[in-house]
Each structure stands twice: as C-alpha cells, then as structure tokens.
C-alpha cells in the first residue's frame, strides 16, 4: 500500500464494471457527495468524490477522493487516493507546487480519519460480489465470493474453502 | 492585508489559493511558457522579499521563519525524491 493510497485486490471479475461504478456513484450521491465518473481506456472506471470543505480547491481545481476500479487478470483492483475532481491525472503544475505535499498529507489525513476510502472500497467489494454472482449464474464461493471456474470445483482457489460440489 | 495561512474550520493550508491570485502566477499560466527573463525577474523578486523579511523580523521570529522555510523546502525535496523513487 502506498503512503497516500489504499489499494485492495478483490477476487471478482466482471465483463463490464459499469453497474458497479454507477452503484458506487449513486451510493455517495445519496449521502450528499458531488460525484463524477468516467470509463478508462482499460475498461475500468475512474470515480471522483467530493464533499464540503475537505476537498478544497487547489489552484482553483477541486480536489477529490479518487477511486479507480480496474480489471486485472482474475482480480479487480480498487484504489483510493487524493486527486482532482473529474480528471484522471494531477497536472504537473500542481504536483510541482511547493505546498502540494502539505495539502496532500492534510487531505489524505482527513480521508483516513473519516474512513471514506474504506467505505468506498467496502461498497465496491459488496457490489462486485453481487454482480459477479449474477454474472456467474451462481458459480461462486459461498465463503469469499470468488467466481469459480466450474461447478465441479472441489476447493475455492481464493480462500481454500471446501466446496459442496 | 492579514490573510490566514490555514482554513480555521478544516485546518487546510490556504497558500495555494493566494498563489493562484498572484499576477506572476496568472501570467505564467496564461501562456504556459517561462522565459529566461521572467524566471530571472521572479528570482530577484523572491530575493528582495526575503531580504525585506529578514530586516523586519526579531531574532526569535527570524529563527522561526528560517525553520519554517527550510522545513518546507525539505518536505518538497522529500516529495520529489519519492516521486523519482517510483
């Protein structure tokens, strides 16, 4: 895990992450967050969440909690970090600003204190699990939710749970 | 002019907002180009401001300001080194 990011590898794979991204955006919108999301070139999603004065403007650009949801082999990688609302990368001018390290530390500290990153990742995990079950037609581990390659699998490759067959 | 350095409600640093309002910064962002003249002129401006500050401070204030400026520079260097490490 990086210093200013929370990363989780989740044992679920979806052909299309759009339902998960939309559910996550709706979840936070209902809580009064300003939300935005866009699909990435790698079939993932880049979400922006902002609320109140925590995510202050930096050089006039609104900061945000960035959530990236990216498929990677047989897992989905979810990453929470601080960035700018509606943009996937932080402009060089901001990253080079002398007080950016102070602001980044302060904003990330508030995110960690409120556990907003954990809430987002937990919600995405639950959503991924629910959609993976639907997509796999019931072929999933009842313990960890990992999608199983076939109904004849004896043990879950994700958590080792013995399966009923 | 007595602008707070930190937001009293959130504790977040506000200096970037003042930077964004500076004519020098607006000029740079307008054309995205920094000429040798602009760079040299701005370096002189910084030196003159630091000299003016040094003359204004009491010994205690000067010590505190020196620490703050140097530690900010150290943090910035650390951030740059971390970026290069990646």
């Amino acid at each position: 895990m990086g210093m200013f990011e929370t990363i989780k590898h989740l044992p679920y794979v979806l052909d299309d992450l759009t339902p998960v991204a939309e559910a996550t955006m709706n979840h936070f919108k209902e809580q009064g967050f300003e939300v935005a999301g866009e699909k990435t070139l790698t079939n993932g999603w880049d979400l922006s969440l902002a609320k109140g004065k925590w995510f202050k403007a930096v050089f006039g650009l609104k900061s945000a909690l960035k959530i990236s949801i990216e498929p990677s082999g047989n897992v989905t990688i979810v990453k929470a970090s601080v960035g700018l609302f509606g943009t996937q990368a932080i402009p060089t001018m901001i990253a080079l600003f002398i007080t950016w390290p102070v602001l980044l530390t302060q904003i990330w500290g508030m995110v960690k204190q409120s556990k907003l990153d954990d809430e987002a990742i937990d919600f995405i995990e639950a959503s991924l699990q629910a959609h993976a079950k639907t997509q796999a037609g019931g072929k999933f581990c009842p313990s960890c939710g990992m999608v199983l390659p076939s109904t004849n699998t004896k043990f879950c490759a994700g958590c080792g749970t013995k399966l009923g067959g | 002019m007595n602008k707070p350095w930190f937001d009293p409600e959130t504790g977040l640093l506000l200096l970037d907002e003042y930077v964004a309002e500076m004519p020098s910064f607006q000029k740079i962002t307008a054309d995205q180009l920094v000429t040798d003249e602009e760079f040299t002129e701005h370096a002189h401006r910084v030196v003159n401001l630091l000299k003016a500050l040094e003359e204004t401070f009491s010994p205690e204030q000067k010590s505190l300001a020196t620490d703050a400026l140097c530690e900010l520079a150290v943090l910035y260097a650390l951030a740059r080194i971390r970026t290069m490490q990646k």
Side-chain angles (χ1 to χ4, degrees), chain B residues 70-83:
Chain B
C70 290
E71 295 295 7
L72 181 60
V74 168
L75 180 64
Y76 182 73
L78 294 177
R80 302 306 307 150
I81 292 166
R82 285 191 80 242
T83 305

Side-chain angles (χ1 to χ4, degrees), chain B residues 36-50:
Chain B
D36 292 351
E37 267 185 5
E38 284 174 332
F39 187 88
T40 309
E41 187 186 320
H42 201 81
H44 288 317
R45 188 178 300 155
V46 172
V47 168
N48 289 337
L49 281 168
L50 289 173

Side-chain angles (χ1 to χ4, degrees), chain A residues 2 56 58 62 91 115 129 138:
Chain A
K56 72 185 284 297
V58 181
K62 194 170 183 60
K115 298 183 176 173
Q129 188 174 2

Side-chain angles (χ1 to χ4, degrees), chain B residues 12-49:
Chain B
L12 291 173
L13 193 63
L14 295 172
L15 290 181
D16 64 290
E17 295 181 17
Y18 307 148
V19 171
E21 295 164 7
M22 302 286 278
S24 53
F25 179 77
Q26 289 177 355
K27 191 179 169 189
I28 291 167
T29 51
D31 64 6
Q32 300 285 321
L33 289 171
V34 182
T35 64
D36 292 351
E37 267 185 5
E38 284 174 332
F39 187 88
T40 309
E41 187 186 320
H42 201 81
H44 288 317
R45 188 178 300 155
V46 172
V47 168
N48 289 337
L49 281 168

